[in-house]
Amino acid sequence: MMDKPKSKAVFLLLAFLAVLMMVAFSVFAAEAMWLLAALTVLIFIGIFGAGFTLKKKYRENGWL
C-alpha cells in the first residue's frame, strides 16, 4: 500500500526563502554591508541544502 502523497508546499516556502536571501544579499552587497552579505550566502546555502535533503527523503518514501 502506497502512502498518500505529502504536501509540496514546504518546497514553495524553501524556494521563497532562497529568493529572499538572494535579494537580501544583493541589497547588502550594494550597501557594502559585507558581513551581512556573507551571512545571507551561508543561510542561502543552508536553505538549498535543506531543500535537496528533503526532496531526497520525499523521493525515497514515494511521497512525490
Side-chain angles (χ1 to χ4, degrees), residues 21-22 24-25 35-47:
M21 288 301 109
M22 287 189 279
F25 171 79
L35 185 61
L36 291 174
L39 182 62
T40 58
V41 168
L42 293 176
I43 294 170
F44 174 78
I45 291 169
I47 291 169

Side-chain angles (χ1 to χ4, degrees), residues 2-59:
M2 283 190 60
D3 291 338
K4 178 180 162 194
K6 295 215 182 237
S7 172
K8 296 176 189 131
V10 67
F11 295 112
L12 179 63
L13 176 65
L14 288 171
F16 177 77
L17 290 173
V19 170
L20 187 66
M21 288 301 109
M22 287 189 279
V23 170
F25 171 79
S26 299
V27 170
F28 292 142
E31 295 293 328
M33 298 177 171
W34 300 113
L35 185 61
L36 291 174
L39 182 62
T40 58
V41 168
L42 293 176
I43 294 170
F44 174 78
I45 291 169
I47 291 169
F48 240 64
F52 279 120
T53 303
L54 190 60
K55 186 167 184 177
K56 180 182 177 193
K57 181 180 177 183
Y58 267 55
R59 188 174 290 126

